[in-house]
Amino acid sequence: MAIRNILKESDETLRKQSREVTVFDQRLWDLLDDMAQTMYKANGVGLAAVQVGVLKRVVVIDIGEGLIELINPVVVKTKGEVVDLEGCLSSPGEYGMVPRPKKVEVKAQDRNGKFFTIKGEDLLARALCHETDHLSGRLFKDLAQRMLTPKELEELG
Ligand code: ZN
């Protein structure tokens, strides 16, 4: 396993479309393991492969309830809306108020290619939407109603 370099938001790679994964092999598993390690090291709750420069539809999430690996994730259902604080490992130290669905249902494949459905609410719904957006080249600032001011950030600690 290895820590990978996380691209910053100015990197145009982050605006590209990620490609569907069709081969579920050691190379994919190494990527998943590296992504999880990189996310934990950076104290993040989610990371998309594009953020480490790999244009594949691969996401890892851990909101403190265990590691979730998602290959080719698609948001299939959404319900409600919540505006809350959101950040991104590609935009360190910056946070915005971003509207997201209260609940989502995502269809994805696991590391062996097996399809499954995951339901998320609040923070998990937010992470699922944020990371899935990365695969389409969308960043949280595109959706943010406003960014936090330096003073607000200070108060946030
Ligand atoms: Zn992000």
Side-chain angles (χ1 to χ4, degrees):
M1 285 204 283
I3 302 289
R4 304 217 188 179
N5 184 41
I6 299 176
L7 302 182
K8 296 296 181 291
E9 63 174 22
S10 56
D11 195 308
E12 64 182 32
T13 303
L14 288 172
R15 292 303 185 175
K16 293 184 176 162
Q17 295 288 321
S18 293
R19 287 180 298 271
E20 194 95 358
V21 173
T22 54
V23 182
F24 297 79
D25 60 358
Q26 187 65 50
R27 205 177 146 85
L28 173 69
W29 302 334
D30 288 345
L31 172 65
L32 282 162
D33 292 343
D34 286 359
M35 283 173 62
Q37 204 182 13
T38 303
M39 171 182 72
Y40 289 128
K41 175 104 193 302
N43 292 313
V45 298
L47 188 72
V50 60
Q51 290 179 279
V52 294
V54 178
L55 287 166
K56 287 182 179 175
R57 303 186 79 81
V58 176
V59 159
V60 293
I61 290 172
D62 190 341
I63 60 159
E65 296 173 355
L67 181 64
I68 302 167
E69 298 176 336
L70 302 161
I71 319 296
N72 303 323
V74 180
V75 176
V76 290
K77 263 189 214 169
T78 66
K79 198 177 174 190
E81 190 188 87
V82 181
V83 180
D84 207 345
L85 204 59
E86 193 169 317
C88 178
L89 290 177
S90 293
S91 309
E94 295 187 84
Y95 295 90
M97 298 303 290
V98 183
R100 295 287 188 187
K102 164 101 176 139
K103 291 182 183 181
V104 295
E105 196 174 310
V106 172
K107 196 180 163 192
Q109 283 163 278
D110 68 13
R111 59 163 58 207
N112 296 305
K114 190 170 180 276
F115 282 95
F116 67 99
T117 300
I118 179 169
K119 290 180 183 176
E121 206 173 325
D122 297 318
L123 179 57
L124 181 56
R126 184 165 296 278
L128 287 164
C129 292
H130 178 115
E131 300 311 329
T132 307
D133 271 359
H134 270 302
L135 308 181
S136 311
R138 205 175 306 123
L139 299 176
F140 83 102
K141 285 186 182 179
D142 303 343
L143 302 172
Q145 292 179 342
R146 65 179 191 89
M147 297 301 291
L148 263 60
T149 64
K151 190 173 187 297
E152 286 174 313
L153 287 172
E154 213 173 287
E155 283 163 4
L156 207 66

